[in-house]
Amino acid sequence: MNKLTGAEIVIECLKEQGVDTVFGYPGGTILNIYDALYKHQDEITHILTSHEQGAAHAADGYARATGKVGVCMATSGPGATNLVTGIATACMDSIPVVAITCNVAVSLLGRDSFQEIDIAGITMPITKYNFIVKDITKLADTIRRAFTIAQTGRPGPVLIDITKDVTANSCDYEYKAPEPIERQNSTITEEDMEKALYLIRNAKKPFIFAGGGAVIADAADELKSFAHKIQAPVADSLMGKGAFDGTDELYTGMVGMHGTKTSNFGITECDLLIVVGARFSDRVTGNAAKFAPNAKILQFDVDPAEIDKNVKTYASVIGDVKTILKKLNARLDPVNHDEWLAHIDRMKDMYPLRYDKNLLTGPYVVEQIYELTQGDAVITTEVGQHQMWAAQFYKYKHPRTFVTSGGLGTMGYGLGAALGAKMGCKDKVVINIAGDGCFRMNMNEIATATRYNIPVIQVVLNNHVLGMVRQWQTLFYGKRYSHTVLNDAVDFVKVAEGMGAKAYRVTSKEEFMPVLKEAIGLNIPVVIDCQIHCDDKVFPMVSPGAPIQDAFDENDLKI
């Protein structure tokens, strides 16, 4: 048993948990931890981001791309509060992140001391759990517990706030191996399983809807076997991308506000909707009272709080969805739904995703990225039109290859997330797709990429407007473009070059593929500024508050 300072205990506990990379920004109260980190830089890589929000997003992207816990660090006061948006992003999408902050000494707490803030109180609604450590003897076990909580059941972010005197004090430390993370299976009952089996066996028009929980549970293999065994079409949510192979014949595309007509109409017509790890977000259901009106809804989810929260279910099984699907597959015989699948295929032919093939557009850029990477890249995005195009036109064959802010919709998320994803998946091509509005929010993280030579490719779909907001203003606000035009003097190529990156401007569709090939081959940070039209829109679309069967596209608007 060794006597270590609190700061050294933090580092040893991170090593216990297998942490190899942390993202952060130092400051006064966390200096002792950074001093200890300096002594262990050959064991833990620290990435100094340009802003603490970038550190939180990088930890989140690392977690999504690898399935491991992402770790970020910040000092007290503004350092800690700058993590808040990133913590909330991780919370909304159930991402295991441990955020470590430090605070003023115990004797200074509650006195409005310099850079003192109640970060535990601030983050309480947006963390799975949080701690403030005022006693060094409790530090090691608190850190271990935080990692366990972040990963158990439905994952989520955990914050540990440590007072500065705890990082300086000393106590005995003894190594402990991490607790194994058990899958939540005790809540899977035979009664629920029997009811599920009965519904599946008796369905004539079953439809599967896969959400982020299927990705988190690593249930892709089981989901594929299940879908083919019961011969059911499969749609996904934004968070569910990659849980089911986007090139599979049973795949129908995304569901919801910008989902395919085939998915939206199929779910409306089905008689059994099997929901695997999805929470019925309002962007998925549209008018929840009219969602899947002809179906009995069977929901599989690890979190009992999600059952009947947004949409009333007919039956449910609570527990780890990988285990649930594995148990179902073992007890189901293959069934034939040829007529139903033929109907779905006819809808696919009738309602393909369309765009103008003659111009440089967002969909064209995304399709070209797919053609070159063949679905093997990690795609991160910001939030807006480009995000929807990335979801619609790139075929995600594997889980953890689409990294995006779904629940919170955080503009400025993607570039930091791309850095984290690349640090976790060094053998993968990592491409962040952004709009110009999002890119300018956290484009300072290009400087982080160049400082460490993290070879991410930043593609900016630059329409000189806040595209998604403008789309709503066009369709629902009489074309009153209130504060959505960004047609100013900012030159992203010069900005990127000023931060040390290679940069290109693309103005025609013929230019894009050669530039992308060169960017991937260079293996350095690259920014590609693609000039697209300000009035390009994302279709199909469902008007806010309307049922998803009311999806429309540009052809419907001409009628």
Side-chain angles (χ1 to χ4, degrees):
M1 192 175 289
N2 299 322
K3 212 172 193 64
L4 300 179
T5 66
E8 290 166 334
I9 288 170
V10 170
I11 303 304
E12 291 302 321
C13 287
L14 293 179
K15 287 161 58 180
E16 280 179 11
Q17 298 294 328
V19 174
D20 54 21
T21 308
V22 299
F23 307 88
Y25 209 100
T29 62
I30 203 170
L31 267 175
N32 292 329
I33 290 178
Y34 270 82
D35 191 51
L37 193 60
Y38 181 85
K39 300 166 189 172
H40 293 269
Q41 56 191 293
D42 57 334
E43 297 165 284
I44 297 176
T45 298
H46 177 274
I47 301 297
L48 175 68
T49 54
S50 299
H51 190 285
E52 290 91 352
Q53 186 179 139
H57 293 329
D60 174 301
Y62 177 96
R64 294 190 203 225
T66 65
K68 298 191 286 188
V69 178
V71 180
C72 56
M73 293 181 173
T75 196
S76 61
T81 57
N82 281 343
L83 294 177
V84 169
T85 297
I87 293 169
T89 302
C91 183
M92 288 289 279
D93 292 342
S94 305
I95 307 303
V97 168
V98 170
I100 298 172
T101 58
C102 286
N103 217 321
V104 298
V106 170
S107 62
L108 295 174
L109 286 174
R111 299 175 181 271
D112 291 333
S113 303
F114 178 67
Q115 291 193 333
E116 179 197 358
I117 202 77
D118 179 13
I119 193 62
I122 288 170
T123 58
M124 192 173 293
I126 54 167
T127 49
K128 191 175 177 187
Y129 207 93
N130 63 28
F131 303 90
I132 180 163
V133 183
K134 305 176 187 177
D135 179 350
I136 190 172
T137 63
K138 297 178 180 177
L139 178 59
D141 285 340
T142 298
I143 295 171
R144 293 163 183 150
R145 191 176 167 208
F147 275 82
T148 299
I149 291 169
Q151 300 172 83
T152 305
R154 182 177 184 170
V158 178
L159 179 126
I160 311 166
D161 193 35
I162 309 166
T163 60
K164 185 169 184 178
D165 49 333
V166 166
T167 68
N169 296 340
S170 300
C171 77
D172 290 331
Y173 161 81
E174 185 175 5
Y175 170 85
K176 281 189 183 178
E179 294 179 22
I181 304 299
E182 304 290 343
R183 292 185 177 269
Q184 185 177 312
N185 295 327
S186 61
T187 50
I188 303 173
T189 69
E190 179 60 24
E191 181 183 356
D192 289 343
M193 288 294 292
E194 284 289 348
K195 196 167 186 180
L197 287 162
Y198 176 81
L199 290 170
I200 294 164
R201 286 168 180 152
N202 287 277
K204 303 295 184 210
K205 296 188 286 186
F207 205 110
I208 297 168
F209 166 38
V215 174
I216 292 166
D218 296 319
D221 291 343
E222 290 76 12
L223 180 59
K224 182 173 183 175
S225 298
F226 179 65
H228 282 272
K229 182 166 271 195
I230 70 169
Q231 286 291 285
V234 183
D236 53 23
S237 67
L238 189 69
M239 298 309 304
K241 289 285 164 190
F244 191 78
D245 184 349
T247 65
D248 193 289
E249 61 193 10
L250 294 177
Y251 182 65
T252 63
M254 192 166 63
V255 64
M257 179 172 280
H258 294 293
T260 64
K261 285 188 174 183
T262 302
S263 293
N264 286 0
F265 295 167
I267 284 176
T268 301
E269 294 177 22
C270 73
D271 63 3
L272 177 66
L273 182 62
I274 304 163
V275 183
V276 183
R279 60 182 178 84
F280 298 108
S281 157
D282 58 293
R283 288 296 169 103
V284 162
T285 63
N287 185 332
K290 297 180 180 179
F291 181 72
N294 301 303
K296 292 175 179 174
I297 294 177
L298 171 61
Q299 186 175 2
F300 306 148
D301 206 285
V302 75
D303 186 356
E306 291 301 338
I307 308 301
D308 297 331
K309 185 177 85 173
N310 293 326
V311 170
K312 183 71 175 171
T313 60
Y314 187 85
S316 61
V317 184
I318 308 298
D320 173 65
V321 295
K322 183 184 181 81
T323 305
I324 293 168
L325 292 173
K326 194 177 287 185
K327 288 176 178 289
L328 289 171
N329 288 338
R331 295 169 67 171
L332 284 166
D333 294 321
V335 292
N336 183 308
H337 292 124
D338 286 349
E339 191 176 330
W340 172 233
L341 291 181
H343 174 63
I344 294 294
D345 284 341
R346 284 192 295 274
M347 285 202 285
K348 287 183 187 178
D349 291 337
M350 288 170 62
Y351 307 119
L353 292 170
R354 301 184 183 92
Y355 67 90
D356 188 339
K357 306 280 186 179
N358 299 312
L359 303 172
L360 180 66
T361 64
Y364 174 81
V365 167
V366 172
E367 281 196 339
Q368 291 297 292
I369 293 171
Y370 173 74
E371 287 300 320
L372 191 58
T373 63
Q374 284 300 295
D376 291 326
V378 175
I379 304 297
T380 69
T381 79
E382 308 290 344
V383 172
Q385 289 179 317
H386 63 275
Q387 178 189 33
M388 295 299 105
W389 289 323
Q392 291 175 330
F393 290 95
Y394 193 98
K395 296 180 178 68
Y396 298 92
K397 300 190 292 187
H398 310 289
R400 303 195 180 281
T401 54
F402 185 55
V403 174
T404 194
S405 170
L408 197 63
T410 306
M411 293 176 69
Y413 165 82
L415 182 51
L419 298 177
K422 185 64 179 180
M423 290 301 298
C425 305
K426 292 186 173 66
D427 59 330
K428 292 276 192 181
V429 172
V430 177
I431 300 174
N432 183 48
I433 301 174
D436 49 317
C438 290
F439 180 57
R440 67 174 61 205
M441 283 195 169
N442 278 340
M443 61 186 175
N444 51 358
E445 297 305 338
I446 291 293
T448 307
T450 58
R451 179 185 298 120
Y452 297 100
N453 194 28
I454 304 172
V456 296
I457 297 171
Q458 170 66 65
V459 175
V460 184
L461 298 179
N462 189 351
N463 55 10
H464 302 279
V465 294
L466 298 177
M468 186 60 87
V469 186
R470 181 186 174 91
Q471 177 167 329
W472 281 50
Q473 288 172 333
T474 300
L475 295 173
F476 311 121
Y477 289 85
K479 298 185 179 180
R480 295 182 294 278
Y481 300 124
S482 178
H483 302 286
T484 51
V485 177
L486 308 176
N487 202 8
D488 52 30
V490 176
D491 184 328
F492 290 145
V493 170
K494 289 182 179 178
V495 169
E497 289 173 345
M499 288 190 278
K502 178 74 173 174
Y504 303 85
R505 181 171 289 109
V506 172
T507 59
S508 70
K509 56 182 291 191
E510 292 76 20
E511 293 175 309
F512 181 72
M513 183 63 95
V515 165
L516 182 62
K517 284 180 181 175
E518 186 172 322
I520 292 174
L522 287 171
N523 202 37
I524 60 173
V526 175
V527 175
I528 307 174
D529 179 13
C530 301
Q531 302 286 315
I532 67 171
H533 195 274
C534 64
D535 281 321
D536 285 355
K537 294 181 176 60
V538 178
F539 288 116
M541 184 174 187
V542 177
S543 298
I548 61 170
Q549 55 266 38
D550 288 356
F552 62 90
D553 57 26
E554 62 271 44
N555 289 333
D556 298 314
L557 292 176
K558 294 173 186 174
I559 297 171

